[in-house]
Amino acid sequence: GKLSLKEIVSRLRAGQLSAVKVAEHFASTIKAKRDMNAMIYFNEKQVLNDATQLDKAASAGQWRGPLHGAPIVVKD
């Protein structure tokens, strides 16, 4: 089912989700709805690379804030 941002962040902190898994899910959703033209720019490779780095930081106890690993999209 769908998770709220609060639930995603909570599960990331608890180790029940990884930033990579969250990124993969949202990348899949974005690609499936590409015909909606909702995004001007999406670099899946960079998103997954960033998620990998966030997971490594989390494993080392280096949380970068309350939204560490959460999906964020900037609307223009």
Side-chain angles (χ1 to χ4, degrees):
K2 293 183 181 182
L3 298 176
S4 69
L5 179 60
K6 183 177 180 179
E7 291 168 321
I8 290 170
V9 169
S10 177
R11 290 182 185 195
L12 285 165
R13 287 280 177 164
Q16 297 169 340
L17 276 177
S18 69
V20 169
K21 289 292 183 194
V22 172
E24 288 172 342
H25 170 76
F26 281 94
S28 175
T29 301
I30 290 166
K31 288 190 296 188
K33 298 181 186 245
R34 196 162 287 202
D35 62 330
M36 293 178 67
N37 293 321
M39 305 200 80
I40 295 171
Y41 179 76
F42 176 67
N43 184 331
E44 182 177 3
K45 184 177 179 181
Q46 184 63 52
V47 167
L48 295 175
N49 182 56
D50 291 349
T52 299
Q53 295 305 314
L54 288 167
D55 282 341
K56 287 180 183 178
S59 292
Q62 299 170 347
W63 294 92
R64 297 181 184 170
L67 297 177
H68 183 113
I72 303 294
V73 175
V74 179
K75 184 178 180 335
D76 67 342

